[in-house]
Amino acid sequence: MNLFEAVRTALEMIRAHKLRAFFTVLGTVVGVTFLIAVITLIEGMNRYMEEDFAGQVFGYNTVVVRRTPSVQMESNAELRRMWRRRPRLTFDDAEWISRRMETPGIAAISSSIGGTVTGPRGRELENVRVTGASASYFRIRDMEVELGRVFSEQEADRGLPVVVLGKDVAERLFEAVNPIDKEVRIRGFPYRVVGVLEGQGTLFGMSLDNVAIAPARSALNGFVNPANVVDEISFKVPDGGLLAPAMAEITGLMRVRHRVGPGEVNSFEVETAEESLSFWNRISQVMLIALPGLVGISLVVGSVVIMNIMLVSVTERTREIGLRKSLGARRRDILAQFMIEAGTLSGVGG
């Protein structure tokens, strides 16, 4: 019996026993579908975390200095007390570091808090992420404007009341009206809208366009944080190969600035996106160990289903096997026929 005839016979047997074939194929489909879903899930989450999380939370090729870790996976009461005792980061810290950095790059400061933004006719938006930042913040985060412009270095240094709105905020406050040069109020202080950002999308289901960014030295100074205090100092290098030197240099400068003695623990955190993704790496490692095991179980179950059904098929077709042998079929011919049937069922199931 040639291969074509064997496959044709296998398909005829599938048509003759539709219900049995259905359950056989179902077992295979479940296993293969689960395998594809797991691989897609892990790959998708890896890409999401590495591209969206890294780019939106830190910025690419960026070193960030913070008072406390941005991701606190293993915190306890003692650690939190230690973090609270650390000195705050200030405008002066950022200027002191940027003047002494030898690694090429750009520095920025930023602080954020949830707040209310009031637009025309008293329309209010609550829980807007209000950020006080330097002008270079937009370049570090790779933010582009859809309308208008970002505020300039001069406006940021002088603390002028200008603001760049996220796309969601602009659309909800002004609807179809062009918001450029219109006034909004942040905590009662008037700000002139100079730009609207392009859509940033979402991160973990939260809109990244629900923001209002103004100069850190404007009236927000003292509202987002105590006066002259910042949440983070960012330093972006032009190439990923400069991240390690920049991180080492910033760590050394901050230790000098905060008078951290030799052998003492840092009173600050210096992070990159790669380091802060370590928590996700631990999760993905567990997933890579556990989920393939579950996939293997499902594939084994599918294989057992096929094996049992083929065993039933052999038992039911004893007379057919005897007839084939009486006509000269060899043992290996009969074995090949049933193997081809099993392979055909598996192929149909994926």
Side-chain angles (χ1 to χ4, degrees):
M1 180 183 293
N2 58 40
L3 180 62
F4 175 77
E5 185 179 351
V7 172
R8 183 176 60 80
T9 303
L11 292 174
E12 289 177 356
M13 293 305 301
I14 292 174
R15 283 196 297 270
H17 302 86
K18 295 182 179 63
L19 185 61
R20 184 171 67 193
F22 168 76
F23 284 111
T24 305
V25 170
L26 180 63
T28 307
V29 168
V30 169
V32 173
T33 302
F34 195 17
L35 175 63
I36 294 173
V38 167
I39 294 175
T40 303
L41 173 66
I42 295 176
E43 290 297 324
M45 285 299 297
N46 280 336
R47 178 172 296 183
Y48 182 80
M49 293 298 294
E50 291 173 4
E51 295 182 3
D52 291 353
F53 181 85
Q56 298 295 347
V57 176
F58 290 92
Y60 297 106
N61 298 332
T62 302
V63 180
V64 177
V65 183
R66 296 178 55 88
R67 184 190 185 198
T68 62
S70 56
V71 180
Q72 301 174 5
M73 290 290 290
E74 299 175 356
S75 64
N76 52 49
E78 184 178 348
L79 270 177
R80 289 192 292 271
R81 283 194 297 270
M82 182 191 72
W83 291 334
R84 284 195 295 268
R85 289 195 296 267
R86 289 177 170 180
R88 297 267 195 163
L89 301 178
T90 65
F91 292 163
D92 292 339
D93 289 336
E95 292 175 0
W96 191 87
I97 290 172
S98 61
R99 286 198 303 267
R100 288 164 174 78
M101 284 293 293
E102 296 181 0
T103 306
I106 54 175
I109 57 174
S110 62
S111 301
S112 298
I113 194 173
T116 300
V117 178
T118 306
R121 299 182 297 278
R123 181 177 298 168
E124 291 187 348
L125 287 182
E126 297 181 349
N127 299 319
V128 175
R129 184 161 58 89
V130 177
T131 299
S134 55
S136 51
Y137 176 81
F138 299 98
R139 283 189 290 163
I140 285 181
R141 294 301 181 91
D142 295 322
M143 292 178 170
E144 300 291 339
V145 291
E146 185 175 283
L147 294 173
R149 60 178 177 84
V150 299
F151 50 79
S152 65
E153 293 282 357
Q154 292 76 17
E155 289 170 325
D157 291 341
R158 294 170 60 189
L160 296 183
V162 292
V163 66
V164 178
L165 300 179
K167 190 172 184 178
D168 285 354
V169 175
E171 289 179 349
R172 291 162 65 189
L173 284 180
F174 294 94
E175 296 178 345
V177 178
N178 188 335
I180 303 302
D181 289 329
K182 301 295 192 300
E183 182 182 284
V184 297
R185 287 183 172 270
I186 303 175
R187 208 194 181 194
F189 295 106
Y191 280 82
R192 180 170 60 90
V193 179
V194 295
V196 176
L197 295 172
E198 290 182 350
Q200 304 292 309
T202 60
L203 184 67
F204 298 126
M206 296 181 294
S207 174
L208 297 173
D209 299 313
N210 189 37
V211 297
I213 305 172
R217 295 181 183 275
S218 67
L220 290 180
N221 186 14
F223 164 53
V224 177
N225 271 323
N228 300 323
V229 168
V230 298
D231 286 343
E232 61 185 37
I233 303 168
S234 304
F235 189 82
K236 182 172 185 175
V237 295
D239 181 76
L242 295 173
L243 267 178
M247 190 173 182
E249 188 177 359
I250 289 173
T251 301
L253 289 172
M254 282 297 299
R255 287 180 67 87
V256 173
R257 177 70 177 173
H258 282 192
R259 296 183 174 85
V260 180
E264 294 181 1
V265 178
N266 290 339
S267 60
F268 52 88
E269 299 291 331
V270 180
E271 302 174 331
T272 62
E274 289 76 11
E275 288 201 341
S276 295
L277 284 174
S278 60
F279 80 98
W280 166 248
N281 292 334
R282 292 199 294 270
I283 295 173
S284 63
Q285 286 172 3
V286 173
M287 292 174 65
L288 285 172
I289 294 172
L291 292 182
L294 296 176
V295 171
I297 292 172
S298 67
L299 291 176
V300 168
V301 170
S303 301
V304 170
V305 169
I306 293 176
M307 180 187 70
N308 286 334
I309 290 180
M310 292 310 299
L311 180 61
V312 171
S313 177
V314 171
T315 304
E316 288 180 348
R317 294 162 65 185
T318 304
R319 293 179 62 186
E320 178 188 336
I321 294 171
L323 180 59
R324 286 177 181 272
K325 294 186 73 173
S326 66
L327 293 175
R330 293 166 296 182
R331 179 183 178 88
R332 65 183 181 186
D333 295 329
I334 296 171
L335 178 61
Q337 176 61 40
F338 282 100
M339 291 297 293
I340 290 172
E341 287 186 22
T344 303
L345 283 170
S346 299
V348 172

